[in-house]
């Protein structure tokens, strides 16, 4: 099942155990904010600290396991054309936009808005939002701990594939940010492909 997610839009799906989700950066340099929960108990959800601790790395790529707050696996990256994805940059919000870029940005749509709207379909609210993964977002970390958000390292058609290690609920915000280079200042569409557990899967 393929779905094109328009620029700035949200998407969600329940991915069953063994199924794969392929995220394709159709036009290049588009950040995809991502949260994942146990589909049967959403109090079990993606944990950035557990994931970073388990990988021994703040960046994700092939072989990385997205861990829950119970330190159990939710999804595994089984293929990755890009090689490095962010775990620490977080999701843009009206508040963070205002702080970083000025009060004139307050009315701009943000990833937190997408997560709240999409999560509400499953009974999730603001307290259920945690630090997220940013697929395709380039957030280098300097030796002094300084973070940057710089031009992406993706390109048109590059993809990554995740395998569900249990039934999971995935929430996606196709990032609408226009104030920094994470989307090349021009948000674009991405494609989601869900493939059955009995079907060989890979980048679309």
């Amino acid at each position: 099942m393929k779905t094109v997610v328009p620029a700035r839009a949200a998407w969600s799906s329940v991915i069953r155990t063994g199924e794969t989700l392929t995220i394709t950066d159709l036009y290049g340099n588009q950040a995809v904010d991502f949260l994942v929960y146990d589909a049967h108990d959403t109090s079990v959800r993606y944990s950035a600290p557990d994931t970073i601790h388990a990988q021994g790395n703040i960046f994700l790529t092939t072989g990385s396991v997205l861990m829950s707050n119970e330190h159990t696996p939710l999804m595994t990256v089984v293929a990755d054309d890009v090689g490095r994805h962010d775990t620490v940059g977080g999701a843009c919000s009206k508040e963070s936009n205002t702080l970083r870029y000025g009060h004139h940005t307050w009315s701009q749509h943000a990833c937190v808005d997408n997560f709240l709207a999409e999560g509400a379909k499953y009974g999730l609210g603001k307290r259920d939002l945690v630090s997220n993964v940013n697929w395709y977002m380039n957030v280098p970390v300097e030796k002094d701990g300084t973070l940057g958000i710089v031009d992406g390292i993706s390109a048109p058609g590059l993809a990554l594939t995740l395998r569900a290690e249990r039934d999971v609920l995935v929430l996606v915000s196709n990032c609408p940010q226009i104030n920094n280079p994470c989307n090349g200042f021009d948000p674009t569409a991405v494609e989601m492909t869900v493939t059955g557990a009995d079907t060989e899967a890979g980048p679309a």
Side-chain angles (χ1 to χ4, degrees), residues 53-89:
H53 177 261
Q55 313 319 303
N57 198 323
I58 62 170
F59 300 114
L60 303 177
T61 188
T62 305
S64 297
V65 180
L66 305 187
M67 303 294 286
S68 77
N69 53 330
E70 295 186 343
H71 209 73
T72 52
L74 294 169
M75 303 187 86
T76 300
V77 182
V78 295
D80 176 23
D81 293 338
V82 177
R84 193 177 78 182
H85 304 269
D86 169 62
T87 61
V88 297

Side-chain angles (χ1 to χ4, degrees), residues 33-160:
D33 290 43
F34 182 97
L35 287 170
V36 57
Y37 303 79
D38 185 306
H40 304 291
D41 180 4
T42 55
S43 69
V44 180
R45 70 275 304 264
Y46 170 72
S47 167
D50 286 85
T51 299
I52 292 166
H53 177 261
Q55 313 319 303
N57 198 323
I58 62 170
F59 300 114
L60 303 177
T61 188
T62 305
S64 297
V65 180
L66 305 187
M67 303 294 286
S68 77
N69 53 330
E70 295 186 343
H71 209 73
T72 52
L74 294 169
M75 303 187 86
T76 300
V77 182
V78 295
D80 176 23
D81 293 338
V82 177
R84 193 177 78 182
H85 304 269
D86 169 62
T87 61
V88 297
C92 59
S93 67
K94 293 180 182 300
E95 293 80 7
S96 66
N97 281 347
T98 301
L99 180 65
R100 292 171 176 166
Y101 310 115
H103 191 71
H104 67 281
T105 65
W106 174 258
S107 62
Q108 292 176 3
H109 195 58
C111 284
V112 169
D113 301 321
N114 276 341
F115 281 144
L116 289 174
E118 201 67 21
K121 299 176 182 179
Y122 306 90
L124 300 175
K126 187 170 287 190
R127 69 179 60 190
D128 298 301
L129 299 189
V130 294
S131 296
N132 58 286
V133 176
N134 292 308
W135 302 117
Y136 303 108
M137 190 162 151
N138 190 12
V139 184
V141 180
E142 305 299 335
K143 290 183 178 180
D144 64 359
T146 302
L147 300 181
I149 299 175
V150 299
D151 285 340
I153 55 176
S154 184
L158 297 189
L160 65 97

